[in-house]
Amino acid sequence: MVLTEFGGPEVLHAAELPTPVPGADEVLVEIACTSVNPADWKTREGKLSAYIDYHFPFVLGFDLAGVVAAVGPGVTRWQVGDQVFGMSNQRNGADGTYAEYCLASSELLAPLPAGWSHVDAAGLPVAGSTAYGGMVDAGGLRDGQTVLINGGAGGVGSAAIQIARALGARVAVTCSPKNFDYVTGLGAELAIDYRGGDVVAQLRAWAPSGVDLVLDAVGLDTLLPHAEELVAPGGNYVEIETLISRADAERVARAAERGVRIVSNMIVVQRQPQHLMELAALCARGVIRPPETEVLPLSKVADAHRLVEAGHVRGKVILATRPH
């Protein structure tokens, strides 16, 4: 499924492209499943030109789960037939995973966790590594600390809850009441209705001095006008770079006066391969369970984009290249 112009979901259409040939340190993966991330619809609209060198026709998609079909020169870590999950090279302007085959850097793949299906694993790479990098690397979350995850039921939030619990942290999340059972089942100690609940009062009762970390998986203006004030001095507020709503320089400076850092998850993006492997290790240990999924065929990609763009998706929307 390709783009030949920017626009709404309707601009995505089927096309025949040559099967890619892996170069040095590249792996050709036969895609079983991919997933739809918020960055996908922003890429489709041309909003991420600051990060991606677009070309047309352009294949969207960051996440992948599938089988190694070929390896390029210098690749010794993977062999044909290996079951893998990971990410495309789209951040470098390469075609993505909405296809039968995709090239990936050898370092951006991990072994499929035992007991996980391609559907399970396809929703994890971007969301999981974003959560891991944001909390562990950028946010410095440690055993015994407290974290608020803004948007606890989505792909990033679902992974973040479990990662935080694996670290020994206590977890509060914002989400809609219909997802309270889901997030508490993943390990959240407190679930707050971001629309009808008094977020400040409930969080202050739970963490009177403020939380050590906020991971914002939605956008600043969706939680509170001054959400960074929920962070205790010495703590961190980690934003996801591709969100539409983020802190400006004045807001960052005001937070710094209180001893609170507002930082982007992109400050640690170069360590994404490490985050992916550490995430895979947690999955292999059974610490992280697969996100809830809704599976659509690749031909229904426009419908999948509409679901994700509308927000409030629980877990992940998965696209399958073949019947499951």
Side-chain angles (χ1 to χ4, degrees):
M1 305 300 292
V2 304
L3 292 176
T4 50
E5 61 180 323
F6 297 130
E10 69 282 352
V11 302
L12 291 159
H13 61 276
E16 289 284 340
L17 297 176
T19 301
V21 176
D25 297 318
E26 287 186 325
V27 175
L28 179 67
V29 180
E30 183 177 0
I31 305 295
C33 297
T34 180
S35 82
V36 180
N37 292 290
D40 291 359
W41 67 260
K42 295 166 190 173
T43 303
R44 187 200 71 227
E45 292 187 345
K47 294 182 183 295
L48 300 187
S49 57
Y51 311 101
I52 296 172
D53 184 14
Y54 291 100
H55 61 271
F56 293 120
F58 192 66
V59 182
L60 296 180
F62 293 92
D63 285 335
L64 66 85
V67 182
V68 173
V71 299
V75 175
T76 57
R77 183 176 164 197
W78 306 108
Q79 297 181 342
V80 173
D82 285 346
Q83 303 280 340
V84 295
F85 76 108
M87 285 172 271
S88 70
N89 295 329
Q90 185 152 120
R91 70 181 187 187
N92 298 322
D95 282 330
T97 56
Y98 291 9
E100 294 173 299
Y101 292 90
C102 178
L103 293 177
S105 295
S106 173
E107 65 178 6
L108 286 176
L109 296 175
L112 191 74
W116 284 49
S117 69
H118 290 133
V119 169
D120 294 335
L124 191 63
V126 167
S129 61
T130 297
Y132 190 95
M135 290 195 304
V136 178
D137 211 339
L141 188 64
R142 302 186 304 277
D143 182 21
Q145 291 190 324
T146 54
V147 56
L148 171 67
I149 299 164
N150 184 26
V156 173
S158 297
I161 293 168
Q162 298 177 84
I163 294 165
R165 292 297 300 132
L167 293 172
R170 298 172 59 210
V171 183
V173 305
T174 64
C175 62
S176 62
K178 69 179 181 180
N179 290 320
F180 280 5
D181 288 346
Y182 176 61
V183 298
T184 54
L186 293 175
E189 190 175 312
L190 174 67
I192 305 172
D193 179 0
Y194 67 94
R195 291 171 299 189
D198 187 333
V199 178
V200 174
Q202 291 190 61
L203 198 70
R204 289 296 188 201
W206 183 73
S209 301
V211 294
D212 298 294
L213 172 67
V214 170
L215 179 70
D216 188 358
V218 184
L220 276 167
D221 59 4
T222 61
L223 179 59
L224 290 168
H226 303 288
E228 62 273 21
E229 294 179 8
L230 297 171
V231 182
N236 297 299
Y237 193 115
V238 178
E239 305 178 301
I240 296 172
E241 182 82 13
T242 55
L243 295 177
I244 299 300
S245 171
R246 293 169 41 234
D248 56 25
E250 181 182 348
R251 196 164 184 174
V252 171
R254 283 202 310 269
E257 291 175 359
R258 294 184 51 248
V260 173
R261 286 196 320 155
I262 299 180
V263 295
S264 163
N265 70 305
M266 294 295 281
I267 67 171
V268 296
V269 73
Q270 295 305 318
R271 291 197 285 278
Q272 204 168 44
Q274 177 186 339
H275 300 156
L276 185 64
M277 290 304 295
E278 292 175 1
L279 187 67
L282 291 177
C283 295
R285 284 169 41 202
V287 173
I288 295 179
R289 74 186 200 213
E292 221 172 271
T293 57
E294 180 173 352
V295 183
L296 298 173
L298 185 59
S299 60
K300 299 290 186 182
V301 62
D303 293 337
H305 270 231
R306 291 184 184 101
L307 283 171
V308 173
E309 193 168 351
H312 313 298
V313 170
R314 185 153 90 179
K316 294 291 294 185
V317 177
I318 303 298
L319 296 170
T321 60
R322 61 178 72 94
H324 278 71

